[in-house]
Amino acid sequence: MDVSNKIKLDNIRLNIIEAIKCSGLTQSHLASILGVSQQTISYYLKGEKLPALDTLANLCLILELDANDILGISDKRSK
């Protein structure tokens, strides 16, 4: 594996931000659906925390995304 192709945490954060923006959901509404606080969503968006695996899976279900899209794996496979 080429080190330059490693998945970076900041890229995951940016993918989460983009996915939430595209969904049209507010942070508060998304938090309510996920069963977390709005502050937790804010932490995700600022990169202070990342979602737990079960939360990431539920986030993907809510936003109708594949986890590979959030993780940035899809783009890496197509190159």
Side-chain angles (χ1 to χ4, degrees):
M1 177 180 185
D2 182 357
V3 177
S4 65
N5 287 333
K6 287 175 64 174
I7 295 168
K8 308 270 193 238
L9 293 178
D10 196 54
N11 291 343
I12 294 171
R13 179 185 70 84
L14 294 173
N15 291 340
I16 290 172
I17 289 170
E18 184 63 25
I20 292 171
K21 279 183 186 177
C22 289
S23 75
L25 296 173
T26 65
Q27 289 183 34
S28 296
H29 190 214
L30 181 59
S32 176
I33 296 168
L34 277 174
V36 301
S37 69
Q38 188 275 328
Q39 181 75 28
T40 298
I41 300 295
S42 178
Y43 287 148
Y44 299 160
L45 301 182
K46 292 189 280 185
E48 294 176 12
K49 292 184 179 184
L50 285 175
L53 289 176
D54 60 333
T55 305
L56 177 63
N58 287 315
L59 182 64
C60 290
L61 288 172
I62 292 164
L63 300 178
E64 298 179 354
L65 291 174
D66 188 292
N68 290 331
D69 295 330
I70 295 291
L71 297 174
I73 294 173
S74 306
D75 295 337
K76 306 237 182 285
R77 286 186 181 166
S78 63
K79 289 183 180 178

